[in-house]
Amino acid sequence: MRHTRADVVAFESAVTRLPEVVHSHHITGNFDYLLQVEVPDLPAYDNFHANQLAGLPGVATVTSYVTMKTLSVDSTA
């Protein structure tokens, strides 16, 4: 992502309007943002990636990880 203030504001404004994005985190490290995206299946993600995410302002690359299983810690034990 380009790092001008205008690019950051434009990206954050656009990403918060996408209903598939349920959480968006501005992070440190090799990536600028970590998005949690919920779609029904991989073809839907392919469509989301190609037609919405990759076209957001300031996006140069996208790295995706697919969740295979979610583990929860039982806080009552």
Side-chain angles (χ1 to χ4, degrees):
M1 171 173 217
R2 293 182 304 271
H3 290 93
T4 69
R5 185 69 191 141
D7 289 328
V8 170
V9 169
F11 172 81
E12 290 180 353
S13 177
V15 79
T16 59
R17 290 192 304 266
L18 298 175
E20 295 88 351
V21 177
V22 295
H23 296 287
S24 178
H25 305 274
H26 189 196
I27 61 174
T28 63
N30 293 330
F31 306 106
D32 295 318
Y33 289 87
L34 173 65
L35 307 179
Q36 180 180 342
V37 175
E38 292 185 4
V39 292
D41 52 31
L42 286 175
Y45 179 74
D46 182 48
N47 180 60
F48 171 76
H49 178 275
N51 297 312
Q52 295 182 68
L53 190 57
L56 290 178
V59 172
T61 61
V62 175
T63 300
S64 300
Y65 299 93
V66 176
T67 301
M68 294 174 45
K69 180 192 294 187
T70 301
L71 306 175
S72 297
V73 177
D74 183 3
S75 62
T76 62

